[in-house]
Amino acid sequence: MSGALYITPLILPRCCTTTSRQIVRMSATETRYPGISFQSMTIKPPLHPTYDLKGVIKLALSEDAGDRGDVTCMATIPLDMEVEAHFLAKEDGIIAGITLAEMVFHEVDPSLKAEWSQKDGDYVLKGLQFGKVYGRAHSIVVAERVVLNFMQRMSGIATLTKAMADAARPACILETRKTAPGLRLVDKWAVLIGGGQNHRMGLFDMVMIKDNHISAAGSITNAIKSVDQYLDKKNLQMEVEVETRTMEEVNEVLRYASQTRTSLTRIMLDNMVVPLPNGDVDVSMLKEAVQLINGRVDTEASGNVTMDTVHKIGRTGVTFISSGALTHSVKALDISLKIDMELARQVGRRTKRA
């Protein structure tokens, strides 16, 4: 038997058509949400078949308003007062969530107008005034915290993603499904804004055979074989990834793939980056696995991925590097929205935050 790897092609050009199998595609340019247009966005959100972004915005506003609304605003701000409020970066980083902020403002009060000197994905310096919103003061203050919550989280994710993506080259950096509950699309959108790529959106758009699937199936070969049979039976065509933890498992996967027509497109090399007592990492096992696979499928490194290790991992020849920390350990970027900018700057100088 030859050592060739038989892979069913999965990525078809848009001009191609097929009637034999259902193709599962994820395309940001095809994203649609009722009542929201994404045509002018710098970076569009990823596609999700059931995610209701407008509903997420409404929920965020509703949990803030409760059953009475903003009692402080109603007590202190005349309903007809109009003001201008300014966005201020209080630390360096990548701005993300500008488009989402506009959606929130529109949901609260369609008459609010926002203007920006920066766009999603731009790098801002501490102290930069990068946008403003004007209209009814009551509406701006009601929207303020929800807008900032989204923007600060997304900007934190984008900032870390940008740093890791730059360090990982020539490998591509991916996030995982370790996102905040209910914010899956928002978190993954921020990764795109930061220059990363999206891993699978959920359980539905990619087959990912992990350790528990392998244990339940009895072996890694049984698990891949079952996936191939399932996809064929359901007439589905999608990416298939299998997790390997040892060189023996890598060899078993390659042996199966050389003997059988399979839908396998990627091998995850899990925890093959070994921490050393001096704080460095040993990537020899990862490099050996990548060389053994030799480009027959894509490879993904996972485990012990940090800002300190990602550059070394990226130089092993691995295709992708996935990091849950991009979204599960995010540090929000400090941003404020202030009506009185002069007082805000005075306080910022006193606290060294502006």
Side-chain angles (χ1 to χ4, degrees), residues 160 163-165 167 305-311:
L160 179 57
M164 292 194 77
V305 178
T306 68
M307 270 306 306
D308 294 329
T309 65
V310 69
H311 179 64

Side-chain angles (χ1 to χ4, degrees), residues 19-58:
T19 56
S20 62
R21 306 192 80 179
Q22 299 175 36
I23 307 299
V24 177
R25 281 197 185 94
M26 302 298 290
S27 170
T29 59
E30 296 174 356
T31 305
R32 294 292 184 271
Y33 296 102
I36 298 175
S37 172
F38 294 114
Q39 297 308 308
S40 63
M41 292 183 189
T42 305
I43 300 170
K44 296 177 176 64
L47 179 67
H48 191 293
T50 62
Y51 197 92
D52 181 5
L53 184 54
K54 192 170 184 179
V56 170
I57 291 170
K58 286 184 174 182

